[in-house]
Amino acid sequence: LDREHTLGHCAVVLVKLNARFLVNIRRLQVERQLVLRAIELVRKMAPHPAVFPRTLQPVVAIRTGCGGACVVVGVAGGNRLNLEPSFLGLLQQLVDLGSIALSNSLILSDQQNENARLKQALDSIQQQETIIGRSQAFQAVMRTAEDYARTDFPVLITGESGTGKEVLARELHYRSRRRKKPFLAQNCSAIPDTLLESELFGYAKGAFTGAVRDRLGLFEAADGGTLFLDEIGDMPLHLQARILRFLESGEVKPVGATRIKRVEVRIISATNKDLKEAIKAGQFREDLFYRLNVLPLRLPSLRERRDDIPLLIDHFLRREALKLGIIPKKLSKRALAYALDHPWKGNIRELENFAK
């Protein structure tokens, strides 16, 4: 799916996928009936003493696990095959029935696999965060992001809280050559300092109480892909030194380990703080700032892109309706006027909750 499609295009893709899924379900039902019918005919006809000459040993029809059937033919008197036309005709009918059953079972299997893929695609679309916007400020950001995606240099995304910095970081990853590798994210202000170090760099068995086995850190787990460090401005100074070491050498050392590991990871970081002021206050390392700020990218607040508010509200209303299985709601002119005049200090996150 083209992730740059407008909401209307995404809705069309969803409808088409859903229609195809329903068509395949109906095909599955038809194929299942054909398989069951063929198997039932084979079961009724063989073995059946009334339809075979008495001089023959039993003819056994074996139903396989996939719905097919094979036929084992006995011999007359134990020393010759029965080549009577009537019997050979009956045997041919049994073989034909078995072939139909086997063919239908293979078609059934293909349809089940295809439906599983379609269902996975639908689930992915429903859960996916989408980049949406047509304002000049937003389009300028996306053009810059497109250029940044072609490189492997560190990116520093700045902007107010709730502007969608992690969504943009994912977009950078999926547009880059690393798209098939992991994208991992960590909020640097969400967990205590000691746990954050173990989360990022991992630890060796016995490094501390409760470390009963080795554990990979996010740097190793994201090898070849992208690691997103959100709220980097809240990271403690001693961990900033370890991040700087990685950016300079590409090496990480798990907590309590004696060996160093080399990994190849692109770093995208984000903050809603003014890092230059944090440097003056002694809260952020200046050398790390220049390492992270190779490619700066500022996300505008929702107040700076009011043209996108109707589009975003419509997207959120449709997405939540899809999750709930109801008809999407429409915003009245009065409600839309209120939304356009609202300050939205919480930006897109506040707008999303408003739509819910």
Side-chain angles (χ1 to χ4, degrees), residues 5 50 59 86 184 206 237 259 292:
H5 277 349
V59 177
S86 60
L184 301 180
L237 286 171
R259 59 189 179 88
L292 294 174

Side-chain angles (χ1 to χ4, degrees), residues 1 19 22 26 29 52 57 111 123 126 138 140 153 157 161 178 184 188-189 228 250 284 286 326 331 333 355:
L1 294 176
L22 294 176
R26 287 193 288 270
Q29 293 171 345
F52 299 108
Q57 294 179 2
Q111 292 293 317
D123 292 342
Q126 290 177 358
F138 181 76
F153 302 132
I157 304 174
S161 179
R178 300 171 181 267
L184 301 180
C188 298
S189 64
F228 175 61
F284 201 83
E286 186 175 14
I326 61 176
L331 211 62
K333 292 182 179 179

Side-chain angles (χ1 to χ4, degrees), residues 13-18 21 117-127 322:
V13 172
L14 271 175
V15 169
K16 288 182 178 179
L17 276 176
N18 191 50
F21 183 75
R117 289 192 295 269
L118 289 173
K119 186 177 185 299
Q120 185 177 9
L122 284 172
D123 292 342
S124 176
I125 291 172
Q126 290 177 358
Q127 298 171 4
L322 181 63

Side-chain angles (χ1 to χ4, degrees), residues 29-45 63 67 97-98 100-101 104:
Q29 293 171 345
V30 172
E31 295 297 339
R32 181 174 180 274
Q33 291 301 320
L34 289 174
V35 172
L36 294 177
R37 191 179 305 168
I39 292 174
E40 183 64 18
L41 287 173
V42 173
R43 186 188 67 78
K44 289 182 178 180
M45 295 179 66
R63 179 153 51 105
L97 286 171
I100 293 172
N104 286 333

Side-chain angles (χ1 to χ4, degrees), residues 173-191:
H173 171 75
Y174 289 125
R175 294 189 181 203
S176 73
R177 64 176 181 85
R178 300 171 181 267
R179 64 180 65 90
K180 294 183 180 179
K181 296 294 184 177
F183 174 89
L184 301 180
Q186 176 61 53
N187 189 319
C188 298
S189 64
I191 57 178

Side-chain angles (χ1 to χ4, degrees), residues 105-156:
S105 68
L106 295 175
I107 294 173
L108 178 67
S109 177
D110 291 341
Q111 292 293 317
Q112 287 174 330
N113 292 334
E114 184 177 5
N115 282 327
R117 289 192 295 269
L118 289 173
K119 186 177 185 299
Q120 185 177 9
L122 284 172
D123 292 342
S124 176
I125 291 172
Q126 290 177 358
Q127 298 171 4
Q128 182 176 329
E129 294 290 344
T130 307
I131 293 285
I132 292 177
R134 60 189 174 196
S135 63
Q136 291 184 358
F138 181 76
Q139 289 301 317
V141 168
M142 295 310 297
R143 285 193 295 270
T144 303
E146 184 70 33
D147 292 336
Y148 287 180
R150 299 190 184 101
T151 75
D152 287 327
F153 302 132
V155 179
L156 177 61

Side-chain angles (χ1 to χ4, degrees), residues 174-234:
Y174 289 125
R175 294 189 181 203
S176 73
R177 64 176 181 85
R178 300 171 181 267
R179 64 180 65 90
K180 294 183 180 179
K181 296 294 184 177
F183 174 89
L184 301 180
Q186 176 61 53
N187 189 319
C188 298
S189 64
I191 57 178
D193 301 351
T194 53
L195 293 180
L196 180 59
E197 184 176 17
S198 299
E199 192 71 18
L200 292 175
F201 297 97
Y203 54 79
K205 179 180 178 181
F208 49 82
T209 303
V212 295
R213 62 178 182 276
D214 293 347
R215 185 180 187 277
L216 285 180
L218 292 179
F219 277 99
E220 286 187 77
D223 193 13
T226 303
L227 178 60
F228 175 61
L229 299 176
D230 197 9
E231 304 299 346
I232 189 74
D234 294 329

